[in-house]
PDB file of all heavy atoms in Angstrom:
ATOM      1  N   ASN A  13     -64.027 173.219 -55.700  1.00 82.00           N
ATOM      2  CA  ASN A  13     -64.612 172.614 -54.507  1.00 82.00           C
ATOM      3  C   ASN A  13     -66.067 172.610 -54.521  1.00 82.00           C
ATOM      4  O   ASN A  13     -66.865 172.575 -53.519  1.00 82.00           O
ATOM      5  CB  ASN A  13     -64.028 173.216 -53.326  1.00 82.00           C
ATOM      6  CG  ASN A  13     -63.971 172.249 -52.215  1.00 82.00           C
ATOM      7  OD1 ASN A  13     -63.816 171.017 -52.373  1.00 82.00           O
ATOM      8  ND2 ASN A  13     -64.169 172.805 -50.879  1.00 82.00           N
ATOM      9  N   SER A  14     -66.775 172.576 -55.766  1.00 91.00           N
ATOM     10  CA  SER A  14     -68.266 172.925 -55.794  1.00 91.00           C
ATOM     11  C   SER A  14     -68.979 171.666 -55.489  1.00 91.00           C
ATOM     12  O   SER A  14     -70.393 171.679 -55.489  1.00 91.00           O
ATOM     13  CB  SER A  14     -68.522 173.423 -57.206  1.00 91.00           C
ATOM     14  OG  SER A  14     -68.233 172.567 -58.151  1.00 91.00           O
ATOM     15  N   PHE A  15     -68.504 170.543 -55.231  1.00 97.00           N
ATOM     16  CA  PHE A  15     -69.254 169.322 -54.846  1.00 97.00           C
ATOM     17  C   PHE A  15     -69.140 169.000 -53.414  1.00 97.00           C
ATOM     18  O   PHE A  15     -69.436 167.930 -52.954  1.00 97.00           O
ATOM     19  CB  PHE A  15     -68.827 168.106 -55.687  1.00 97.00           C
ATOM     20  CG  PHE A  15     -69.283 168.318 -57.051  1.00 97.00           C
ATOM     21  CD1 PHE A  15     -68.339 168.825 -58.080  1.00 97.00           C
ATOM     22  CD2 PHE A  15     -70.527 168.037 -57.634  1.00 97.00           C
ATOM     23  CE1 PHE A  15     -68.787 169.016 -59.362  1.00 97.00           C
ATOM     24  CE2 PHE A  15     -70.917 168.302 -58.879  1.00 97.00           C
ATOM     25  CZ  PHE A  15     -69.931 168.632 -59.774  1.00 97.00           C
ATOM     26  N   LYS A  16     -68.660 170.057 -52.456  1.00 95.00           N
ATOM     27  CA  LYS A  16     -68.474 169.829 -51.136  1.00 95.00           C
ATOM     28  C   LYS A  16     -69.874 169.361 -50.571  1.00 95.00           C
ATOM     29  O   LYS A  16     -70.981 169.934 -50.972  1.00 95.00           O
ATOM     30  CB  LYS A  16     -68.105 171.108 -50.496  1.00 95.00           C
ATOM     31  CG  LYS A  16     -67.653 171.067 -49.076  1.00 95.00           C
ATOM     32  CD  LYS A  16     -66.892 172.352 -48.735  1.00 95.00           C
ATOM     33  CE  LYS A  16     -66.620 172.507 -47.269  1.00 95.00           C
ATOM     34  NZ  LYS A  16     -66.237 171.339 -46.592  1.00 95.00           N
ATOM     35  N   ASN A  17     -69.774 168.346 -49.799  1.00 93.00           N
ATOM     36  CA  ASN A  17     -70.995 167.814 -49.118  1.00 93.00           C
ATOM     37  C   ASN A  17     -71.982 166.943 -50.096  1.00 93.00           C
ATOM     38  O   ASN A  17     -73.078 166.562 -49.625  1.00 93.00           O
ATOM     39  CB  ASN A  17     -71.857 168.869 -48.382  1.00 93.00           C
ATOM     40  CG  ASN A  17     -71.076 169.516 -47.336  1.00 93.00           C
ATOM     41  OD1 ASN A  17     -70.167 168.830 -46.642  1.00 93.00           O
ATOM     42  ND2 ASN A  17     -71.221 170.797 -47.092  1.00 93.00           N
ATOM     43  N   ASN A  18     -71.627 166.945 -51.298  1.00 98.00           N
ATOM     44  CA  ASN A  18     -72.441 166.104 -52.189  1.00 98.00           C
ATOM     45  C   ASN A  18     -72.122 164.597 -51.924  1.00 98.00           C
ATOM     46  O   ASN A  18     -70.950 164.308 -51.680  1.00 98.00           O
ATOM     47  CB  ASN A  18     -72.163 166.399 -53.659  1.00 98.00           C
ATOM     48  CG  ASN A  18     -72.928 167.617 -54.152  1.00 98.00           C
ATOM     49  OD1 ASN A  18     -73.041 167.833 -55.344  1.00 98.00           O
ATOM     50  ND2 ASN A  18     -73.365 168.404 -53.242  1.00 98.00           N
ATOM     51  N   ARG A  19     -73.097 163.740 -52.084  1.00 98.00           N
ATOM     52  CA  ARG A  19     -73.017 162.290 -51.853  1.00 98.00           C
ATOM     53  C   ARG A  19     -73.125 161.632 -53.150  1.00 98.00           C
ATOM     54  O   ARG A  19     -74.132 161.778 -53.864  1.00 98.00           O
ATOM     55  CB  ARG A  19     -74.005 161.928 -50.835  1.00 98.00           C
ATOM     56  CG  ARG A  19     -73.722 162.537 -49.508  1.00 98.00           C
ATOM     57  CD  ARG A  19     -74.883 162.762 -48.627  1.00 98.00           C
ATOM     58  NE  ARG A  19     -75.953 163.602 -49.329  1.00 98.00           N
ATOM     59  CZ  ARG A  19     -77.130 163.839 -48.728  1.00 98.00           C
ATOM     60  NH1 ARG A  19     -77.397 163.667 -47.516  1.00 98.00           N
ATOM     61  NH2 ARG A  19     -78.023 164.618 -49.395  1.00 98.00           N
ATOM     62  N   VAL A  20     -72.054 160.985 -53.656  1.00 98.00           N
ATOM     63  CA  VAL A  20     -72.028 160.431 -54.976  1.00 98.00           C
ATOM     64  C   VAL A  20     -71.741 158.821 -54.993  1.00 98.00           C
ATOM     65  O   VAL A  20     -70.795 158.363 -54.152  1.00 98.00           O
ATOM     66  CB  VAL A  20     -70.790 161.051 -55.724  1.00 98.00           C
ATOM     67  CG1 VAL A  20     -70.705 160.618 -57.108  1.00 98.00           C
ATOM     68  CG2 VAL A  20     -70.785 162.539 -55.545  1.00 98.00           C
ATOM     69  N   LEU A  21     -72.553 158.188 -55.836  1.00 98.00           N
ATOM     70  CA  LEU A  21     -72.283 156.779 -55.973  1.00 98.00           C
ATOM     71  C   LEU A  21     -71.696 156.619 -57.405  1.00 98.00           C
ATOM     72  O   LEU A  21     -72.319 157.125 -58.506  1.00 98.00           O
ATOM     73  CB  LEU A  21     -73.580 155.945 -55.841  1.00 98.00           C
ATOM     74  CG  LEU A  21     -73.515 154.450 -56.360  1.00 98.00           C
ATOM     75  CD1 LEU A  21     -72.605 153.675 -55.385  1.00 98.00           C
ATOM     76  CD2 LEU A  21     -74.849 153.879 -56.334  1.00 98.00           C
ATOM     77  N   VAL A  22     -70.639 155.897 -57.532  1.00 98.00           N
ATOM     78  CA  VAL A  22     -70.067 155.593 -58.846  1.00 98.00           C
ATOM     79  C   VAL A  22     -69.933 154.119 -59.045  1.00 98.00           C
ATOM     80  O   VAL A  22     -69.262 153.309 -58.324  1.00 98.00           O
ATOM     81  CB  VAL A  22     -68.602 156.220 -59.033  1.00 98.00           C
ATOM     82  CG1 VAL A  22     -68.063 155.939 -60.458  1.00 98.00           C
ATOM     83  CG2 VAL A  22     -68.599 157.691 -58.716  1.00 98.00           C
ATOM     84  N   THR A  23     -70.582 153.616 -60.070  1.00 98.00           N
ATOM     85  CA  THR A  23     -70.514 152.148 -60.220  1.00 98.00           C
ATOM     86  C   THR A  23     -69.289 151.797 -61.111  1.00 98.00           C
ATOM     87  O   THR A  23     -68.850 152.605 -61.917  1.00 98.00           O
ATOM     88  CB  THR A  23     -71.787 151.614 -60.996  1.00 98.00           C
ATOM     89  OG1 THR A  23     -71.782 152.025 -62.336  1.00 98.00           O
ATOM     90  CG2 THR A  23     -73.174 151.977 -60.327  1.00 98.00           C
ATOM     91  N   GLY A  24     -68.589 150.595 -60.878  1.00 97.00           N
ATOM     92  CA  GLY A  24     -67.317 150.337 -61.416  1.00 97.00           C
ATOM     93  C   GLY A  24     -66.358 151.408 -61.101  1.00 97.00           C
ATOM     94  O   GLY A  24     -65.544 151.772 -61.820  1.00 97.00           O
ATOM     95  N   GLY A  25     -66.560 151.745 -59.825  1.00 95.00           N
ATOM     96  CA  GLY A  25     -65.718 153.042 -59.378  1.00 95.00           C
ATOM     97  C   GLY A  25     -64.267 152.676 -59.077  1.00 95.00           C
ATOM     98  O   GLY A  25     -63.432 153.728 -58.776  1.00 95.00           O
ATOM     99  N   SER A  26     -63.842 151.404 -58.938  1.00 89.00           N
ATOM    100  CA  SER A  26     -62.546 151.214 -58.460  1.00 89.00           C
ATOM    101  C   SER A  26     -61.410 151.094 -59.391  1.00 89.00           C
ATOM    102  O   SER A  26     -60.278 150.877 -59.008  1.00 89.00           O
ATOM    103  CB  SER A  26     -62.640 149.867 -57.701  1.00 89.00           C
ATOM    104  OG  SER A  26     -63.049 148.828 -58.552  1.00 89.00           O
ATOM    105  N   ARG A  27     -61.713 151.235 -60.699  1.00 94.00           N
ATOM    106  CA  ARG A  27     -60.648 151.387 -61.614  1.00 94.00           C
ATOM    107  C   ARG A  27     -61.074 152.090 -62.958  1.00 94.00           C
ATOM    108  O   ARG A  27     -62.315 152.328 -63.065  1.00 94.00           O
ATOM    109  CB  ARG A  27     -60.174 149.948 -62.059  1.00 94.00           C
ATOM    110  CG  ARG A  27     -61.097 148.941 -62.687  1.00 94.00           C
ATOM    111  CD  ARG A  27     -60.393 147.602 -62.946  1.00 94.00           C
ATOM    112  NE  ARG A  27     -61.285 146.653 -63.035  1.00 94.00           N
ATOM    113  CZ  ARG A  27     -61.629 146.010 -64.279  1.00 94.00           C
ATOM    114  NH1 ARG A  27     -61.158 146.498 -65.344  1.00 94.00           N
ATOM    115  NH2 ARG A  27     -62.565 145.056 -64.284  1.00 94.00           N
ATOM    116  N   GLY A  28     -60.149 152.281 -63.846  1.00 96.00           N
ATOM    117  CA  GLY A  28     -60.439 153.037 -65.087  1.00 96.00           C
ATOM    118  C   GLY A  28     -61.202 154.325 -64.945  1.00 96.00           C
ATOM    119  O   GLY A  28     -60.826 155.172 -64.118  1.00 96.00           O
ATOM    120  N   ILE A  29     -62.198 154.497 -65.736  1.00 98.00           N
ATOM    121  CA  ILE A  29     -62.898 155.789 -65.802  1.00 98.00           C
ATOM    122  C   ILE A  29     -63.599 155.896 -64.404  1.00 98.00           C
ATOM    123  O   ILE A  29     -63.653 157.148 -63.953  1.00 98.00           O
ATOM    124  CB  ILE A  29     -63.936 155.659 -66.997  1.00 98.00           C
ATOM    125  CG1 ILE A  29     -63.293 155.766 -68.360  1.00 98.00           C
ATOM    126  CG2 ILE A  29     -64.926 156.849 -66.816  1.00 98.00           C
ATOM    127  CD1 ILE A  29     -64.148 155.412 -69.476  1.00 98.00           C
ATOM    128  N   GLY A  30     -64.149 154.898 -63.908  1.00 98.00           N
ATOM    129  CA  GLY A  30     -64.843 155.050 -62.608  1.00 98.00           C
ATOM    130  C   GLY A  30     -63.942 155.485 -61.541  1.00 98.00           C
ATOM    131  O   GLY A  30     -64.441 156.383 -60.684  1.00 98.00           O
ATOM    132  N   LEU A  31     -62.773 155.187 -61.517  1.00 98.00           N
ATOM    133  CA  LEU A  31     -61.785 155.673 -60.448  1.00 98.00           C
ATOM    134  C   LEU A  31     -61.480 157.052 -60.741  1.00 98.00           C
ATOM    135  O   LEU A  31     -61.406 157.899 -59.777  1.00 98.00           O
ATOM    136  CB  LEU A  31     -60.506 154.764 -60.397  1.00 98.00           C
ATOM    137  CG  LEU A  31     -59.520 155.296 -59.388  1.00 98.00           C
ATOM    138  CD1 LEU A  31     -60.073 155.283 -58.006  1.00 98.00           C
ATOM    139  CD2 LEU A  31     -58.257 154.206 -59.296  1.00 98.00           C
ATOM    140  N   ALA A  32     -61.348 157.451 -62.035  1.00 98.00           N
ATOM    141  CA  ALA A  32     -61.006 158.837 -62.251  1.00 98.00           C
ATOM    142  C   ALA A  32     -62.154 159.744 -61.934  1.00 98.00           C
ATOM    143  O   ALA A  32     -62.070 160.843 -61.333  1.00 98.00           O
ATOM    144  CB  ALA A  32     -60.752 159.077 -63.692  1.00 98.00           C
ATOM    145  N   VAL A  33     -63.422 159.287 -62.089  1.00 98.00           N
ATOM    146  CA  VAL A  33     -64.638 159.949 -61.725  1.00 98.00           C
ATOM    147  C   VAL A  33     -64.639 160.142 -60.154  1.00 98.00           C
ATOM    148  O   VAL A  33     -64.919 161.239 -59.662  1.00 98.00           O
ATOM    149  CB  VAL A  33     -65.971 159.289 -62.284  1.00 98.00           C
ATOM    150  CG1 VAL A  33     -67.150 159.948 -61.725  1.00 98.00           C
ATOM    151  CG2 VAL A  33     -65.885 159.337 -63.819  1.00 98.00           C
TER     152      VAL A  33
END
Side-chain angles (χ1 to χ4, degrees):
N13 211 27
S14 56
F15 292 96
K16 196 164 169 35
N17 298 327
N18 279 197
R19 296 149 303 183
V20 185
L21 173 66
V22 182
T23 71
S26 60
R27 63 185 161 99
I29 293 169
L31 179 55
V33 169

